[in-house]
Amino acid sequence: MASRAPVATGRLLIGFRKWYYNLAGFNKLGLMRDDTLYEDSDVAEALRRIPENQYNDRVFRMKRALDLSMKQQILPKEQWTKFEEDVQYLSPYLKEVIQERKEKEEWMKN
Amino acid sequence: MASLRKTHPLLKIANDALVDLPAPSNISVWWNFGSLLGLCLIAQILTGLFLAMHYTADINTAFSSVAHITRDVNYGWLIRDMHANGASFFFICLYSHIGRGLYYGSYLYKETWNIGVVLLLLVMATAFVGYVLPWGQMSFWGATVITNLLSAVPYVGNTLVQWIWGGFSVDNATLTRFFAFHFLFPFVVAGATMVHLLFLHQTGSNNPLGLNSNADKIPFHPYFSYKDLLGFAALLIALVTIALFTPNLLGDPDNFTPANPLDTPPHIKPEWYFLFAYAILRSIPDKLGGVLALLASILVLLVVPFLHTCKMRSMTFRPLSQLLFWTLIADVAVLTWIGGMPVEDPYVIIGQIASVLYFSIFLILFPLAGWVENKLLESI
């Protein structure tokens, strides 16, 4: 009983997150979540560190999304980014950049 | 061999702003309102200039000079109607432009945004003093109500009000200086607009997706020069339609009566574009509290950039924030309605709830929604 409850709520939670992911709608433009992050200085630095092929893929997805937005269209359903296939390719680098910045700020204090 | 438009010291300024300016390919109709505001300003300056040739800023002749313009000056009726309704269109464009800024997170260009708030205040001040000039009942009493609010300032309040008035009430001295301000301010707006554009062109425009658009830029000319021209045509058609078919639709009938300091109208209210702020002012029973709330209703825009919590810039992919945004728009519509109603049951409590909601959305709900939206997309 106790072991079943977390699995049930875990499935419910994932189901809810998946529903929200689709509601957000960036997947309909072929974008991944990390493509939509606002480019502040941390994200810009993380972008400088990602492998070239990942950067090029990102640029392709963004250009495609901008073009679709200009035409007021979305991709055919088979091309929507799936919740399970969304890769947080930028997040590990971003975590590293934020950690380095915080460490630097800590050292700068007295 | 670079073209003259790119090398000539004057031409390159125009070139870099209107021809070769890299613009995102996907900016929508909401991006037309910037240039439309420029058109509104030019239209108001031109029509205002021609009105100023025939108007007299003296309490004995102001009202009749406007009647003279309307009846005797060649096309004076048209110039007057275009100027009066042009002010309404100015505010339609302003509120649409600000709404775009809020929805798409354009406020993250902080310098551009802050100058924008200054521009809003300048245009509001210009419209306020401009409405006094015809010297009708609403002109006089609106000026009396709003200038009296300054007496709420502690210690120096009454001195400040009499300094603004140039006397012990709204009178001739007030009218003449308001005419001077109304003539001057649009040129200050024009200067501030250039600084606004200067900062905007440091970064380039935002776009509906809120993404970095460097991957897909197109030149301003011909795409957006022609799109803006279409926008100009749409605005001018709308303005001329109102001016020719229903010129008094947005006006107050009381302003057809010459100002009478001995006869207070039963319902003193500003033009529609100030009603939401008027409702917020009246929602607080204390005079100073009301004045502070009035100021805060505009100045709250200055803190919006600091309350941006979501990792996404635009609300395009944020359904929760979208719901709040449209609630805000509906709330401002309710405040506009309440501002035009008398201070009676049930309008008082509705206005108070709407005022609390207005500030809550900006200061609490928008930041909270952003935080929730971050959490919901955290570990996919």
Side-chain angles (χ1 to χ4, degrees), chain B residues 129-151:
Chain B
V129 297
Y131 193 66
V132 180
L133 304 184
W135 208 244
Q137 274 285 68
M138 212 43 79
S139 304
F140 176 85
W141 288 100
T144 302
V145 166
I146 299 302
T147 50
N148 259 303
L149 294 175
L150 287 170
S151 67

Side-chain angles (χ1 to χ4, degrees), chain A residues 3-96:
Chain A
S3 61
R4 233 190 290 167
V7 171
T9 48
R11 268 213 300 272
L12 203 65
L13 197 62
I14 289 172
F16 180 73
R17 282 180 183 267
K18 186 174 176 180
W19 172 77
Y20 182 80
Y21 179 88
N22 283 294
L23 188 66
F26 54 82
N27 66 327
K28 298 183 178 80
L29 295 175
L31 291 167
M32 294 189 183
R33 191 214 69 159
D34 280 5
D35 299 335
T36 63
L37 297 176
Y38 171 59
E39 274 184 41
D40 58 14
S41 49
D42 289 338
V43 171
E45 176 57 34
L47 284 170
R48 276 191 279 274
R49 299 182 185 192
I50 64 173
E52 196 180 338
N53 64 315
Q54 280 183 1
Y55 183 79
N56 291 340
D57 289 344
R58 172 193 163 88
V59 170
F60 169 79
R61 287 192 301 271
M62 286 171 75
K63 190 176 171 86
R64 179 177 61 180
L66 288 163
D67 185 67
L68 285 164
S69 169
M70 182 256 289
K71 296 185 296 206
Q72 306 273 9
Q73 290 174 1
I74 56 174
L75 288 171
K77 196 164 182 186
E78 3 7 304
Q79 293 182 39
W80 294 0
T81 313
K82 292 181 181 45
F83 176 74
E84 298 80 14
E85 292 168 3
D86 193 303
V87 177
Q88 290 190 351
Y89 61 91
L90 192 60
S91 299
Y93 298 94
L94 188 57
K95 277 194 183 68
E96 203 178 84

Side-chain angles (χ1 to χ4, degrees), chain B residues 135-193:
Chain B
W135 208 244
Q137 274 285 68
M138 212 43 79
S139 304
F140 176 85
W141 288 100
T144 302
V145 166
I146 299 302
T147 50
N148 259 303
L149 294 175
L150 287 170
S151 67
V153 174
Y155 304 108
V156 298
N158 286 315
T159 313
L160 191 62
V161 175
Q162 285 171 21
W163 182 61
I164 301 286
W165 283 341
F168 300 111
S169 69
V170 171
D171 207 335
N172 202 62
T174 324
L175 180 59
T176 51
R177 65 192 53 191
F178 276 17
F179 180 52
F181 293 150
H182 192 64
F183 204 112
L184 174 68
F185 283 177
F187 300 103
V188 180
V189 168
T193 300

Side-chain angles (χ1 to χ4, degrees), chain B residues 292-355:
Chain B
L292 291 175
L294 174 69
L295 283 170
S297 69
I298 305 299
L299 296 178
V300 72
L301 293 172
L302 292 171
V303 301
V304 166
F306 300 102
L307 299 173
H308 184 93
T309 50
C310 194
K311 290 178 184 174
M312 294 184 192
R313 181 174 195 173
S314 161
M315 287 189 194
T316 305
F317 308 125
R318 295 160 54 197
L320 196 56
S321 295
Q322 284 177 18
L323 188 69
L324 279 176
F325 176 84
W326 292 109
T327 307
L328 176 69
I329 300 304
D331 187 54
V332 171
V334 167
L335 283 167
T336 301
W337 164 57
I338 291 293
M341 291 291 121
V343 184
E344 288 164 10
D345 232 13
Y347 307 120
V348 174
I349 188 69
I350 296 172
Q352 287 171 335
I353 293 169
S355 301

Side-chain angles (χ1 to χ4, degrees), chain B residues 185-268:
Chain B
F185 283 177
F187 300 103
V188 180
V189 168
T193 300
M194 286 184 223
V195 181
H196 185 64
L197 288 172
L198 178 97
F199 279 106
L200 176 67
H201 291 172
Q202 296 296 303
T203 55
S205 290
N206 187 16
N207 70 87
L209 301 184
L211 305 177
N212 183 326
S213 58
N214 288 343
D216 199 21
K217 291 275 211 250
I218 55 178
F220 188 86
H221 178 72
Y223 299 102
F224 298 110
S225 52
Y226 277 105
K227 190 174 184 181
D228 279 356
L229 215 56
L230 178 65
F232 292 177
L235 183 84
L236 287 171
I237 286 170
L239 175 58
V240 167
T241 302
I242 301 283
L244 293 181
F245 287 104
T246 54
N248 301 310
L249 178 74
L250 301 166
D252 193 312
D254 266 334
N255 235 26
F256 278 92
T257 308
N260 183 354
L262 302 175
D263 175 22
T264 312
H267 303 297
I268 300 169

